[in-house]
Amino acid sequence: MIKPLLHRIVVKPEKFEDFNEERRRIKELGWVLPEREEEKRAQASVDRGVVVSIGSTAYKDYGVDPPVEVGDVVNYARFAGKFVKDSDGEEFVILNDEDLICIIKD
């Protein structure tokens, strides 16, 4: 588990293949494509994910309680944050609280 410090927020980014119709169809067929450099760059450009954890001082500089909760789907500034992997190899992005742009509600 990754625990954010201070004003940071941990987000599990959505997979690029969830946005790319062609890659999604290939995955549904059970095919596995090797990861190429283009896919790595495309994954880095994903700007949507699920909030996993919120730092203890997030949004305190603004004098408000955090407007996001764990489990919220959010958009964040493109190319913002630091990508890290947990002990299981799962990838997350750690963002500053100001890098979140909006909450996606269905």
Side-chain angles (χ1 to χ4, degrees), residues 34-79:
E35 189 172 347
R36 298 182 314 212
E37 194 60 37
E38 295 101 34
E39 281 85 17
K40 290 179 184 178
R41 281 194 300 273
Q43 181 62 45
S45 71
V46 171
D47 60 356
R48 181 174 163 158
V50 177
V51 174
V52 174
S53 187
I54 302 169
S56 61
T57 62
Y59 298 99
K60 297 296 183 202
D61 289 347
Y62 304 106
V64 298
D65 290 330
V68 296
E69 299 175 358
V70 171
D72 282 347
V73 177
V74 296
N75 275 101
Y76 50 89
R78 189 164 286 196
F79 303 111

Side-chain angles (χ1 to χ4, degrees), residues 12-28:
K12 174 72 176 147
E14 290 185 350
K15 297 287 184 194
F16 169 71
E17 57 208 24
D18 294 338
F19 293 107
N20 184 291
E21 186 65 32
E22 184 178 309
R23 300 242 350 141
R24 185 172 42 228
R25 277 194 232 141
I26 290 170
K27 184 179 176 184
E28 288 172 357

Side-chain angles (χ1 to χ4, degrees), residues 59 75-78 80-81 94-102:
Y59 298 99
N75 275 101
Y76 50 89
R78 189 164 286 196
I94 299 178
L95 301 157
N96 290 326
D97 55 8
E98 64 191 22
D99 290 332
L100 294 186
I101 297 171
C102 64

Side-chain angles (χ1 to χ4, degrees), residues 77-101:
R78 189 164 286 196
F79 303 111
K82 167 84 173 143
F83 282 88
V84 297
K85 290 185 179 182
D86 67 3
S87 58
D88 295 330
E90 203 168 357
E91 192 165 56
F92 297 88
V93 62
I94 299 178
L95 301 157
N96 290 326
D97 55 8
E98 64 191 22
D99 290 332
L100 294 186
I101 297 171

